[in-house]
Amino acid sequence: MTGSRRHNFGVTYREALIDILVHAQDIAIPLGRRHPMPPEAAAAAVTRIWTMRWPPPFPASRTMQQFQITATDTTWTAGHGPQIQAPISAILLLSAGRLAALPQLAGDGAAELTARLRRRSSARRTG
């Protein structure tokens, strides 16, 4: 399918962008590699995650929406509640349920969001 512009029914380029950005980090992070993520692309991907109706949104993004999340490296903010700041790449990874980005959080709500996401992940593994 290399070079093809075709996609599955109901899947747009936004979902493909999410897959490319997140799965590249799924490979790079465990290998200890740095794989920079373009902030504009990450902002577009995380906006799609936060506005998804179908397929249903990622559970982590629903948890995150209870906080006001602000990107530190591009103009992006969303949610309501205690404040959290992080690079947009970390916001994207966390929104997709990747807890490896938790250490990049800062702000009044960082500890609470970290605890909630870890609880959610732990419950998912034991349940």
Side-chain angles (χ1 to χ4, degrees):
M1 294 299 295
T2 301
S4 173
R5 297 275 185 209
R6 298 184 68 205
H7 53 81
N8 293 334
F9 178 76
V11 177
T12 71
Y13 69 91
R14 290 176 188 92
E15 289 79 23
L17 179 62
I18 294 165
D19 284 349
I20 291 166
L21 294 175
V22 172
H23 294 309
Q25 298 303 315
D26 288 343
I27 296 165
I29 291 170
L31 294 174
R33 300 290 182 125
R34 202 164 136 25
H35 186 71
M37 192 182 296
E40 300 79 19
V46 78
T47 297
R48 172 62 181 139
I49 288 175
W50 280 51
T51 59
M52 289 172 85
R53 298 296 171 254
W54 184 257
F58 292 95
S61 70
R62 289 193 306 264
T63 299
M64 291 176 70
Q65 290 173 12
Q66 300 167 27
F67 297 83
Q68 183 175 340
I69 314 281
T70 302
T72 57
D73 54 349
T74 191
T75 304
W76 190 92
T77 190
H80 303 288
Q83 301 227 348
I84 295 174
Q85 300 84 33
I88 193 68
S89 58
I91 296 168
L92 173 59
L93 291 175
L94 291 169
S95 296
R98 293 349 190 245
L99 302 187
L102 284 172
Q104 297 180 56
L105 297 179
D108 296 339
E112 178 61 25
L113 178 58
T114 296
R116 288 187 194 183
L117 291 176
R118 283 192 174 141
R119 273 194 307 269
R120 175 181 287 285
S121 177
S122 177
R124 201 176 70 229
R125 281 192 303 249
T126 60

